[in-house]
Every structure is written in C-alpha cells, then in structure tokens.
Amino acid sequence: MSTTKTLRLLIPLLLWANFILAQDQLTGNIKAKDGTPLVGATVVIKGTNLYTVADLNGDFKLEVKKELPFVVRISSVGFIPQELEVTSLATNLDIKLVDDNNLSEVVISSRRRDETAQDVPIPISVIGGKLVADAGAFNVNRLKELVPTVQLYTSNPRNTTLNVRGLGSTFGLTNDGIDPGVGFYVDGVYYARPAATTLDFIDIERIEVLRGPQGTLFGKNTTAGAFNIVTNGPSFKPGAIFEVSYGNYGYIQAKTSITGPIGKKFAGRLSFSGTQRDGLIYNTRTEKYINDMNNLGLRGQLLYNVSDNVKITFVGDVSSQNPDGFAQVVAGVVTTQRAPYRQFRQIIADLEYKLPSENPFDRIVDHDSPWRSGNELGGFSVNLDAKIGKGTLTSTSAWRYWNWDPSNDRDFTGLPVLSKSAATSRHTQLTQEIRYAGDISSKLSGVIGAFYISQDLNTDPVHTEESGAAQWRFSQSSTSALWRTPGLLDGYGIKTTSRLQTVGAALFGQLDWAITEKLHILPGLRYNYDTKDVDYDRKTYGGLQTSDPALLTIKRGVYSDQAFKTSVNENNLSGQLTIAYKASKRFNSFATYSTSYKPVGVNLGGLPTANGAVLLDLARVKPEYVTHWEIGIKTSPTENSTLNIVFHNTDIEDYQTNVQTAEVGVNRGYLANAENVRVQGLEIDGNIRVSKAFYAYAAVAYTDGKYVSFKNAPVPLEETGAASAFKDISGGRLPGISKWAGSLGGELNFAGKLINEEGKFFLALDSYYRSEFSSSPSPSKFLNIEGYTLVNGRIGFRANDGLSLFVWGRNLLNKDYFEQLLPAAGNAGHYAGVLGDPRTYGVTLRYTL
C-alpha cells in the first residue's frame, strides 16, 4: 500500500477517535508578585500537548478538551513554576509567580509536545539560545565544546562528519552515496547535506541534542541521534535585537533580528547573520593569508494565526560561505613499506623541493592550487499546526537546495602534483512530514506520522581531477625510464558526471502508556523504504597523446575510465521499547532497547581496481543494522540542581565506513562495510544554581568504540606497499572517538547598572577536554591526535533591555591542537592536519528592544 493511501486511512481514524465536540475555555491572568504582567508565560495542561502563552497584559485563554479535573502548569523563565488543579472552568484564574533562585526548567519539544527535559526518558542535552550567543557557539563546530558527546570533523563543508557518541557518518571524508546517521533538523525541516552543519546558526531559541536512535519520533531515520534546532519564531509583541562583535584577526560578526505584528492575524520575523575573519594560514606562494571566514545568512518567517487552534508558518532562508579557505597543512611524514625511491622525502628531494615549514603550527603553506569552498544552502518551508481533539496535527512541507563550488590542493604542497581538484555539485531535496501527537485516553498518548523525502544530486557540470607536471614522480611505481617521458601525465585527468536520485518513505509512531502515574511504557515502530538510482560516468583526458601500450598502461594506472549504473532499494522494520519509572518528582529512571537501520549505500567517489579491472561489486554498500540499549536516571538532588547518568551500548552489523586507498583515482576514498562494531559508554551531566549570582554545569563522557570484526580493511598509511593492501583490524578502535571527553563551566553575576541600563555584570568560563583519538579508519601509529583542553571566557554587562557589552576570549591558553589528520592522495607518506584556531578575543555589543 502506498504512503499516501496509508495516510488517508490512518489520519481520519485518529481524528475521529480523538475529537471531542466540547470547546470549553480556560482563562486567566499571570503576573509577577509585584503586579508586572508576565508576557509569554506558558500554560500547559499536564499530560497533554495543549498549551497557550500569555499576551501583553498577561492574559491567556486555552481551549479545553480534557475531562475535569485536570492539572495545569504555569511557567515563565526566572520564576518558580506553579501547578494548579482545575475543577471548574467558570472562574478566571488569577496567578502570581514568585521569582526563582533555583534552576529554570528547560522546556523541549523533541517528543512533539512541550515538556521539561528532566521528565523525558531520553538522553538529551539542551543549549539555550542565550548561551549559544554569549559563548560564541555560532555553528556546530563550536557548539561541540558544550556537549562532549558530539563530534564534528570538517576538512571542508562537503567533507563534514557529524557524530554523536562517535557514530552517525563516515569519518574524515564524505561519500555522497550514504545517508547520515545523525538527523539535523531546523524548525522541523530535515537538512540532508552535512555541509549545513558548518553554516552559522541564525536567531536560535534552543538546540536539543538527542543521543541514540530516534526513528520513532522523527521523520528521517536517525540511527545515532538528532540535532533538533528551534529558532525564535515570529511574535505579535514587537521586538528587535542588534548585535555586533569585533575581534583579532579582523573578526567582525553582525546579527540582527526584528519581529512584530503585520495586522491582526499575521506576525513576521526577519533575521540576519554575517561573519568575516581574516585568514589564519599564510601562503608564501600567493603572499596572502588563507582560511578566512566569509559567511552570510538570512531567514524570514511569516506567522498566519488562522485561529486559536490553527497556525501556519512560512519560512524562507538562504546561507552562503565563500572563504578562501579550508586549507590543510602538512603535519608529518611517515615512512611507508614502499621502496625507498617511493618515499615522500626522496620524491621531494629528487624534485628539488622543500616544505616551507616542518612545524604545522607555524601555519605556513606554499600551495599552488587555489582553495575555494563556495557553499550555498537555502530553501522554503510551510508548517501547519492544528489543534484537533486532544492533540495537534502538524504538517511540514519543505524544498531545499545545496550548491557546492570548491577548489582544493589535495597534495598539500607547492608542487604541481594534483593541479586541479573540484567536485562541483548541485543538490535539491523535497520533504513532507505529517504527524499527529496527542492523547488517546487519560492513560495513553502518542505520536504517529509519515515522512517522504526525494533527493537529486548531480555534478554541476563535472567533477574534475587533473595532474600536474610532478605527478609522475609521486605515482611512479617502477624504475622504468618510461615514467620520465616528457608530458606523460602533465594535464592528465578525469572528468566525472554522475547523478544520484533517492527516494525515502516511512511510517513511524510511538505510544506513551501510563500504567500508573509513576510507571510508563513507551513502545515505538518504524517502517522504512529507501531506493537509490546512480548513473556514474568517468572519462580520462589530457596528458601525452600516445598509442604506446606501455605508456598507456602507466596512464591507466593513475586514472582510468569508469562507468556504471546501479539501482538499489531496501525496506525494513525497526522499533524501540522504553520503560520509564518516575519514583518521585526528583527521580526519573528509564531503560530503552531499540533497533534501527541506515539505508543501503552506493559508492560515488570512484571505485578501486585490481589488476586493471574496476571492482564493480563495491558499487553497492549494505545497509547498517543497529541494536542499541541504554539505562539512565535523571535526578534533582535539590531544588537548584540536576544530576543525570546514562550507560549505553550500541552494536552495528555491516557498519558503513569510508576508507582511504593508495589509488589517486579513488577520490576521497571509497565505502566499505565492516562486519561488526560496538560502541559503549557512560555519560554523567549536571548543573547547579548556588544562588541568583552563581551557577555551574559539568558533563563527562566515557566512550569506547571498536571494530568487533573488520577482516578486510585497507592497511593504514604506514603499511602502504606491504604484501597485502588489506588487513584484519578486528579489535582496533574506531576513529574520531576520545575515551574521555568533558565540559565544565559556570557564571558569576550580580545586579547593577551601566549607562542607566539595569542588568547584570557577569564573569563566565567554559572549558572543554577530550583525550587522544584515532584519526584514521584503519588504526595507525601515526595518525593519532593528542588530547587537549580549551578554555573560553567572557566578562561584561548584560542588560535586561537595552545595551549589553562584554569582552570574550576563545582558546585562552592558546593551545596548539589538531582537529583532524588526513593522508594525502596517493599515500606517498605525508599527511596533513586540520588546525584548531589559536587564541582569539574580542568585544560584543548587543542592543535589545
């Protein structure tokens, strides 16, 4: 049965089962103790997703579709929440909230209803928009310093890995033929391309990071976790924020957000973000600094308040990055098992070349090919929320695009080895998610939904790899004089045209069955269907035109023609079961068992060869099968503290990994399946508010990831040239995972005035630590990154409304560290590093209306 037909059957049944004709109203007014109206205070009927917010006068009204009596929860940031039992709708509630010296409860929507993070039986980290802005975490790469279970690696926007607990995407180099395992959502819209994670956040309300499979709650299957990003929405209360930051290295960042009514039923919001910074690496050849920042983002929203029960939000956004950047520096040289004449140092000596620096943290290169990373994303979406019966029907329709225009120097030197490397691409996606979340009875609630995605990714117009005059010496595999033939490989390259079309569809649902008030069982199911069609065609061109068989053999050993078409499809059923027990208001425990799938994959970076023959059987990559369980507790030892502990274990069969090969013609490595991997660990996080003046937070994660079985993995860099090109690395550790990672921070503040503005003076520090980790899919003695600690801080004045001013610093200890290590194409022995930023500092001015 088609997805459309299934929806036509399911949704009317749900609406019929849940619809209640009574339209009684609960009304009231919410003020602070001093009589000030609490604009935006939230009123929620407990156990449902029925809620409303107070208007400019503190008044509220809420359509009630629940039998009396029931309990409402009234909350506002900075005030102690109240819970009231409502036995009659005849009285207008008059509510006064008291200032809160304790921790503010964080309200989230990941389970498709508003609830506090401590009540949710899911490991989740929530970062508020104010902390995101103040900490300078304006993209995911900086946000990971606040959430130690998140890993992000990027050598450029296309080659970006976003992982949770070390799982999600292939480490290091991206292959477009597989799906990410960490879902990335902005206001309910799924972003398919990992490049989206490198862009600046725009006008963030909060970021929810869910750990573990979430396929029964979200549209796109998420085998490792999900980022659920919620932006600030349009408001009928006029407001604006203007912010500008200045820092060293020519850093300038400007942000603006304006919101307000556009008539009685319409409200709008327009948000802008722009970031620029000079380069941090000096290119001696061009005599200019590279790896700069040049980011722009614009987001517009229009809210149509059709009625108290129906809201439609239209969103359009566009973001771009156009840096002279993402260059890597040579970080070291390994002696491989190839013959002496094939070692990197002998090669460059023969070519009379010397690296500009042997210390990568001198930040000096002499690259002869330009670095360019034109990264553009944008799209439109329409979101409809309709309160129907005891729940809400949500429909999210979206179209998005990604344009990628790069140029790279893949040999990382000033030699003309790989003179061109440009995989220009164009991607479009269309998504539709529809779900219903609400109460079925007094003890049963849940979510049911359907999801559809179609994607079209094609070369625009071609992917180009081209050799330079020095390529012959790096590719030379024998002492034959034929390698020295003038012009043999100069200008010799490949042009690839490919198209990947994918379609995915799913039905998903999750129930919350309250067996008792304290004991809940939450089963969930998901049915997935995925299909991928690939048309791949690669042609060689250039170099010396010859008919000599020996010379042609040399050329084909570097680049060869490849062409294949393949169509793959899979369907599967997965699910989860959670048992949650809330012994008291301060103690919540849960245990979850789940299964999940990552769809079938296809290789799109070129296939390896054996004895001159293309290994076409590697064009298809089997889907992952994930088995996961975790046990956790969430506690509030006191009114002003939380402490949460989670133990997790994930086993994956046919783990999809991207592996490096010595063949220059296999661009960015190729996809393979490891038979089995396992990741397990322990996570502890907590926070405490000692008083109004001081709060602190801490999180620590122990994660152990290893290949249980990978018997046919490519050898690591130092074993290139061994008798076999493959190796059994069973028992070896997975790349990108530190056994220990943690964050620690806090803020000290006190009330005061600055230029007649009331607010708070504050001093805040944030620190992040991770132990050493492997930066190679096949464990290597040399491609390991030492552990490091980063310390960030800020001091200044934060106004309640009006002008705020603070000074900030990042990497205050000026720690030299690598984010990633990458072997150069061809495995000659040298490898490059993605450098972490040095110490940066600056000042931010913010004005709030």
Side-chain angles (χ1 to χ4, degrees):
M1 182 182 294
S2 70
T3 302
T4 302
K5 290 181 178 178
T6 304
L7 281 173
R8 288 174 179 170
L9 288 173
L10 287 176
I11 292 177
L13 287 173
L14 276 170
L15 302 185
W16 174 80
N18 289 279
F19 190 77
I20 296 178
L21 293 176
Q23 299 291 318
D24 294 326
Q25 275 192 351
L26 175 69
T27 61
N29 180 268
I30 308 171
K31 289 185 174 69
K33 195 173 182 180
D34 62 4
T36 304
L38 291 181
V39 182
T42 304
V43 182
V44 180
I45 298 179
K46 288 198 67 176
T48 76
N49 67 342
L50 299 176
Y51 71 97
T52 190
V53 296
D55 64 15
L56 293 173
N57 299 315
D59 295 326
F60 70 88
K61 60 181 179 178
L62 178 61
E63 300 292 342
V64 175
K65 308 176 184 71
K66 188 174 178 68
E67 294 180 3
L68 293 169
F70 56 82
V71 175
V72 294
R73 187 176 186 280
I74 304 98
S75 61
S76 183
V77 175
F79 294 85
I80 298 175
Q82 282 191 33
E83 292 187 359
L84 299 173
E85 184 178 46
V86 178
T87 58
S88 171
L89 299 176
T91 305
N92 191 66
L93 297 179
D94 187 12
I95 301 161
K96 290 187 177 180
L97 296 183
V98 179
D99 286 355
D100 187 7
N101 293 332
N102 302 321
L103 286 174
S104 297
E105 292 186 325
V106 180
V107 178
I108 64 170
S109 57
S110 299
R111 291 208 304 164
R112 311 313 185 188
R113 61 178 61 198
D114 288 337
E115 52 194 343
T116 62
Q118 286 297 100
D119 288 337
V120 177
I122 298 174
I124 185 170
S125 301
V126 185
I127 310 297
K130 288 184 178 180
L131 180 57
V132 169
D134 288 353
F138 60 84
N139 58 29
V140 176
N141 200 32
R142 292 191 170 188
L143 182 75
K144 70 183 182 185
E145 297 169 15
L146 300 174
V147 187
T149 49
V150 171
Q151 299 90 32
L152 185 134
Y153 307 98
T154 178
S155 54
N156 63 40
R158 181 192 202 116
N159 290 318
T160 296
T161 299
L162 175 61
N163 283 352
V164 173
R165 296 169 171 169
L167 298 173
S169 300
T170 56
F171 176 83
L173 298 170
T174 299
N175 193 303
D176 294 319
I178 62 171
D179 292 24
V182 176
F184 192 82
Y185 293 85
V186 179
D187 291 337
V189 177
Y190 173 70
Y191 286 32
R193 303 312 310 168
T197 62
T198 67
L199 294 170
D200 291 2
F201 297 137
I202 302 176
D203 202 8
I204 297 299
E205 177 189 322
R206 68 181 183 275
I207 299 172
E208 304 168 4
V209 182
L210 290 81
R211 308 190 289 273
Q214 306 297 330
T216 61
L217 288 173
F218 286 84
K220 189 69 174 71
N221 203 25
T222 54
T223 58
F227 269 67
N228 188 41
I229 297 174
V230 181
T231 69
N232 289 307
S235 172
F236 285 92
K237 177 186 177 183
I241 299 175
F242 304 94
E243 179 182 306
V244 63
S245 299
Y246 299 93
N248 59 337
Y249 300 107
Y251 177 83
I252 300 175
Q253 184 177 73
K255 297 179 180 179
T256 302
S257 179
I258 302 172
T259 187
I262 311 174
K264 288 186 176 181
K265 290 186 174 291
F266 290 90
R269 191 177 196 99
L270 187 64
S271 307
F272 166 82
S273 175
T275 307
Q276 293 190 28
R277 189 188 67 188
D278 296 338
L280 301 178
I281 295 176
Y282 185 69
N283 189 332
T284 60
R285 181 176 296 271
T286 60
E287 298 183 339
K288 63 182 290 189
Y289 283 91
I290 58 176
N291 280 25
D292 58 359
M293 286 186 182
N294 188 358
N295 304 344
L296 292 173
L298 183 67
R299 184 177 183 84
Q301 302 180 67
L302 177 64
L303 171 64
Y304 176 28
N305 202 355
V306 182
S307 68
D308 290 340
N309 292 329
V310 179
K311 294 178 176 62
I312 302 175
T313 306
F314 304 89
V315 181
D317 70 280
V318 59
S319 296
S320 68
Q321 290 176 317
N322 289 288
D324 183 2
F326 293 98
Q328 296 104 52
V329 302
V330 173
V333 179
V334 172
T335 300
T336 70
Q337 294 188 29
R338 285 173 167 168
Y341 76 91
R342 300 195 67 187
Q343 302 297 327
F344 177 76
R345 295 199 181 278
Q346 184 61 57
I347 292 171
I348 63 173
D350 291 348
L351 295 172
E352 299 181 347
Y353 170 77
K354 185 178 180 181
L355 290 169
S357 174
E358 292 282 339
N359 180 5
F361 295 105
D362 286 342
R363 301 176 186 268
I364 297 174
V365 299
D366 62 348
H367 299 165
D368 58 327
S369 294
W371 287 90
R372 183 178 68 251
S373 299
N375 185 34
E376 297 180 351
L377 292 99
F380 303 95
S381 66
V382 179
N383 187 88
L384 180 145
D385 286 309
K387 295 179 182 178
I388 301 175
K390 296 180 181 180
T392 300
L393 178 69
T394 299
S395 170
T396 304
S397 309
W399 174 86
R400 299 200 60 77
Y401 70 89
W402 173 58
N403 296 332
W404 174 238
D405 181 22
S407 175
N408 309 282
D409 193 328
R410 289 180 60 223
D411 58 75
F412 310 127
T413 72
L415 290 167
V417 185
L418 288 166
S419 57
K420 288 184 181 180
S421 178
T424 52
S425 300
R426 183 179 297 272
H427 172 270
T428 58
Q429 68 174 70
L430 180 67
T431 58
Q432 174 64 56
E433 181 171 348
I434 187 166
R435 65 180 181 273
Y436 184 81
D439 295 336
I440 298 172
S441 68
S442 60
K443 291 184 175 293
L444 196 63
S445 62
V447 178
I448 187 169
F451 179 75
Y452 171 86
I453 180 170
S454 66
Q455 301 180 67
D456 192 348
L457 174 67
N458 58 76
T459 52
D460 182 33
V462 295
H463 290 183
T464 303
E465 299 283 337
E466 186 176 300
S467 300
Q471 178 65 270
W472 72 272
R473 188 61 186 86
F474 278 80
S475 294
Q476 185 180 1
S477 59
S478 72
T479 56
S480 170
L482 292 176
W483 283 95
R484 298 177 178 269
T485 303
L488 179 63
L489 299 178
D490 193 3
Y492 179 58
I494 49 175
K495 291 185 177 180
T496 303
T497 59
S498 69
R499 186 177 187 185
L500 169 64
Q501 294 176 289
T502 69
V503 172
L507 294 173
F508 60 94
Q510 181 172 304
L511 294 175
D512 186 337
W513 178 22
I515 296 178
T516 68
E517 185 178 347
K518 296 181 177 181
L519 179 63
H520 287 233
I521 293 181
L522 297 89
L525 280 176
R526 179 184 185 89
Y527 172 78
N528 259 1
Y529 173 79
D530 295 280
T531 181
K532 298 184 179 182
D533 295 297
V534 175
D535 188 347
Y536 183 90
D537 189 14
R538 189 176 89 179
K539 301 293 186 185
T540 56
Y541 71 92
L544 181 66
Q545 299 303 304
T546 179
S547 58
D548 186 330
L551 294 178
L552 290 174
T553 297
I554 290 177
K555 292 180 69 175
R556 290 168 184 160
V558 178
Y559 289 125
S560 61
D561 293 344
Q562 291 188 10
F564 64 89
K565 293 182 180 181
T566 186
S567 179
V568 295
N569 64 79
E570 291 284 340
N571 60 79
N572 52 70
L573 186 68
S574 57
Q576 66 106 47
L577 178 64
T578 296
I579 299 175
Y581 182 71
K582 191 171 185 179
S584 67
K585 180 182 177 181
R586 294 185 178 179
F587 187 93
N588 189 15
S589 61
F590 61 90
T592 296
Y593 176 83
S594 61
T595 61
S596 188
Y597 289 85
K598 187 192 286 188
V600 62
V602 289
N603 261 306
L604 279 181
L607 297 174
T609 60
N611 300 319
V614 179
L615 300 177
L616 292 175
D617 57 323
L618 294 178
R620 181 185 185 276
V621 184
K622 290 185 284 187
E624 289 183 354
Y625 176 68
V626 180
T627 304
H628 171 85
W629 60 267
E630 61 192 5
I631 300 172
I633 59 172
K634 294 187 174 185
T635 70
S636 300
T638 65
E639 288 291 341
N640 59 354
S641 65
T642 66
L643 178 64
N644 304 325
I645 303 172
V646 176
F647 179 78
H648 61 90
N649 184 93
T650 303
D651 288 280
I652 303 178
E653 294 180 13
D654 294 321
Y655 175 71
Q656 296 172 348
T657 182
N658 198 70
V659 290
Q660 188 78 18
T661 176
E663 292 188 42
V664 177
V666 183
N667 185 15
R668 300 184 301 278
Y670 68 94
L671 292 171
N673 289 109
E675 295 86 14
N676 186 262
V677 304
R678 176 178 300 149
V679 174
Q680 56 187 5
L682 180 69
E683 300 161 353
I684 304 173
D685 66 81
N687 50 58
I688 184 170
R689 179 170 290 280
V690 178
S691 66
K692 277 189 174 183
F694 179 71
Y695 81 87
Y697 70 88
V700 63
Y702 171 81
T703 312
D704 180 39
K706 68 178 182 179
Y707 295 102
V708 176
S709 177
F710 195 3
K711 298 179 180 178
N712 201 34
V715 296
L717 176 61
E718 65 268 26
E719 295 181 34
T720 301
S724 174
F726 299 95
K727 181 182 181 180
D728 185 348
I729 61 171
S730 302
R733 61 176 171 169
L734 290 175
I737 300 178
S738 293
K739 282 204 169 182
W740 292 98
S743 58
L744 175 66
E747 179 178 298
L748 177 66
N749 62 68
F750 59 90
K753 281 188 177 183
L754 180 67
I755 320 178
N756 294 321
E757 297 286 351
E758 293 188 353
K760 292 182 178 180
F761 291 93
F762 68 94
L763 169 66
L765 288 174
D766 304 301
S767 62
Y768 169 69
Y769 166 77
R770 67 178 305 181
S771 61
E772 63 95 27
F773 62 96
S774 168
S775 189
S776 174
S778 293
S780 166
K781 298 177 182 177
F782 300 93
L783 300 181
N784 295 321
I785 294 179
E786 294 181 359
Y788 57 86
T789 299
L790 302 178
V791 179
N792 309 317
R794 51 204 178 273
I795 183 171
F797 176 79
R798 186 187 300 118
N800 297 332
D801 285 301
L803 183 67
S804 298
L805 171 68
F806 59 93
V807 177
W808 49 265
R810 297 184 56 80
N811 191 7
L812 291 172
L813 304 180
N814 203 26
K815 173 67 177 177
D816 287 334
Y817 67 100
F818 294 110
E819 292 194 344
Q820 194 176 344
L821 296 173
L822 300 163
N827 288 21
H830 64 306
Y831 58 92
V834 177
L835 303 179
D837 287 351
R839 180 192 295 123
T840 56
Y841 51 84
V843 61
T844 294
L845 296 92
R846 182 182 301 147
Y847 190 77
T848 305
L849 292 174

